Amino acid sequence: MTAKQIGGYILPPGIDIFERGWLSANNIFLYGNEDVSLVDTGYCAHEQLTVDLVSNTLKQYGLSSLSKVVNTHLHSDHCGGNAALSKNFDCEIWIPEAEAIAVQNWDQDLLSFQQLGQDCPRFAHQGVLVSGEEILLGPYRWQILSAPGHDNHSMMLYQEQHQILISADALWEEGFGVIFPELWGEGGFEEVAQTLELIERLPVALVIPGHGKPFTGVKKSIEIAKSRLDYLSSDADRNARHGAKVLLKYKLLEWRSREIKAVHQWIRATPALENVRQQLNMTIEDFEEWLPQALVKSKAAVIEQDHLLNLD
């Protein structure tokens, strides 16, 4: 089999990357003699596709089953396939250590799903990711690195020998994920800066992000991310508006089309959006009117016949 090349970087054996769309995070399939693992599992609406991707890849390489699933963080687009994979393959599920009690009790106040207006089937975990420790994924050992900011419990995975960073949503080729903790007053701007500084100190030849294609121009991407952070952190309302638009756009990716009345109901029922509304000092009526129109203005959606329609 021909080795896969990414921007001049030759991907080492034992690693496959399932690049997904924005509704489901990328999945990384790692396989070796002792371990077969999947990093992140996509959104629940795509769970059967995730199961099929894993099944087909196991068959392709003559592997018996999936050993474990590892979640970089517990946003629904990264762990929504956990329950289906556990059911189909009886694999272990590993999550960031700080999320263990929330998952054990399935505490909706501590988990992000309900707060962000999203869904995730309940799952149980068997292992935890501890920052500073190592984990075997496929044929390689990976360092577990804390990466707060987008999610303050998020982890990255770093393979020193091949200089590969699984960055999740801490670094994309042109930015990073929404700084959600800022939306509910926990703070995240400084945490993003610290995570970018950590990445900058690492010898990284290839980044596998949570969304978008893997990339090699790490220095340029960090510069873009720092510029983006400066832009968002200079105006907390700007970050709040951005977060609100991303949340509705994400839900619209799932819906594809939704009656405006139902969109308004979802906005009212989503706690993170209520936090944004209060921060922006808008009435609920004004906020419900503004948010869909903000997507239309940015050409991410259109309104036709009292329905909000997704634009790809």
Side-chain angles (χ1 to χ4, degrees), residues 66-70 86 89-94 124-127:
L66 184 68
S67 307
K68 65 178 177 288
V69 158
V70 171
S86 177
F89 302 108
D90 193 29
C91 54
E92 293 183 350
I93 294 176
W94 289 57
H125 74 284
Q126 290 75 42

Side-chain angles (χ1 to χ4, degrees), residues 101-139:
I101 293 175
V103 169
Q104 182 178 325
N105 299 328
W106 207 249
D107 189 330
Q108 295 286 3
D109 292 331
L110 295 176
L111 296 166
S112 68
F113 317 126
Q114 189 177 75
Q115 184 149 0
L116 298 178
Q118 299 163 7
D119 299 310
C120 182
R122 184 169 183 170
F123 60 86
H125 74 284
Q126 290 75 42
V128 294
L129 304 177
V130 180
S131 182
E133 294 188 356
E134 291 189 344
I135 186 170
L136 179 68
L137 301 174

